[in-house]
Amino acid sequence: MSLWQLYYHLVWATKNREPLITEAREQLLYPDIRSRADRLGCISYAIGGTEDHIHLILSIPPNLAITEVVKQLKGGSSYTLNQRVPIADKFRWQKEYGVFSLGRKQLDRAVKYVRHQKEHHKVGSVIDVLEQTKGK
C-alpha cells in the first residue's frame, strides 16, 4: 500500500433535523459507525454530535470514494438503529452531508472540536461552516 494521509471532517444530520439522537441511541450509533469505518479501511479519529447531527474525523483510503464511505456509514447506521431501537417513524439521515478536507496540522484541533460538540452548541461556540451539510 502506498503512503496516504487524507483527513476529512464529515457532518450529516437526521432527516428534517429531528432530535432523534438520544443518549441511548448515541451509545449504539457511534460504535456502529466506528466499526463500519474500520471495516472499510478508514481510520476514525473522532465522532461527536448533538441530537440532530453528527461529525466525524476520518482518514479515508485513496481507493475509496468519499461518497461511498458516507453512503455505507449512513445507511448501515440507520439500519442498525431501526433494528435495535425501533421508533414509530424510521430513523433516517438526510440525503446531504458536508465534507471538509484537513491538513495534518489541523487534525488535533478538528478532533477536539468534534469531541466537544455538545458543549460548542450549548455555549454558541460552533464554527458555522463546519455545521453545514449542504451548500448555499
Side-chain angles (χ1 to χ4, degrees):
M1 177 59 138
S2 300
L3 173 65
W4 54 276
Q5 293 183 349
L6 304 169
Y7 308 104
Y8 300 98
H9 184 147
L10 299 160
V11 58
W12 62 78
T14 59
K15 183 79 168 178
N16 300 319
R17 288 274 184 167
E18 294 179 41
L20 298 176
I21 306 172
T22 62
E23 191 171 324
R25 289 188 185 116
E26 184 179 295
Q27 299 303 314
L28 294 170
L29 182 64
Y30 291 5
D32 184 77
I33 290 173
R34 275 193 195 96
S35 176
R36 289 175 189 285
D38 289 347
R39 287 194 303 268
L40 290 169
C42 299
I43 301 168
S44 302
Y45 295 94
I47 185 169
T50 66
E51 66 278 346
D52 68 358
H53 73 283
I54 64 167
H55 293 254
L56 292 92
I57 304 296
L58 293 178
S59 282
I60 299 174
N63 63 327
L64 294 177
I66 296 168
T67 55
E68 186 58 31
V69 170
V70 172
K71 178 182 172 183
Q72 293 291 323
L73 298 180
K74 287 170 66 177
S77 62
S78 63
Y79 177 81
T80 296
L81 281 182
N82 285 321
Q83 295 300 309
R84 301 208 34 216
V85 186
I87 55 176
D89 294 320
K90 293 280 188 200
F91 181 94
R92 294 185 308 177
W93 297 111
Q94 69 180 18
K95 291 180 183 177
E96 296 86 7
Y97 65 93
V99 60
F100 308 91
S101 60
L102 302 168
R104 177 68 185 105
K105 290 182 180 180
Q106 299 166 308
L107 185 60
D108 290 340
R109 184 171 180 221
V111 166
K112 287 177 187 171
Y113 181 75
V114 167
R115 287 185 179 157
H116 295 98
Q117 270 295 290
K118 287 181 180 67
E119 296 96 80
H120 287 299
H121 281 270
K122 190 179 288 184
V123 300
S125 61
V126 298
I127 301 171
D128 289 337
V129 71
L130 297 177
E131 299 296 322
Q132 297 179 36
T133 57
K134 57 184 170 181
K136 292 185 177 187

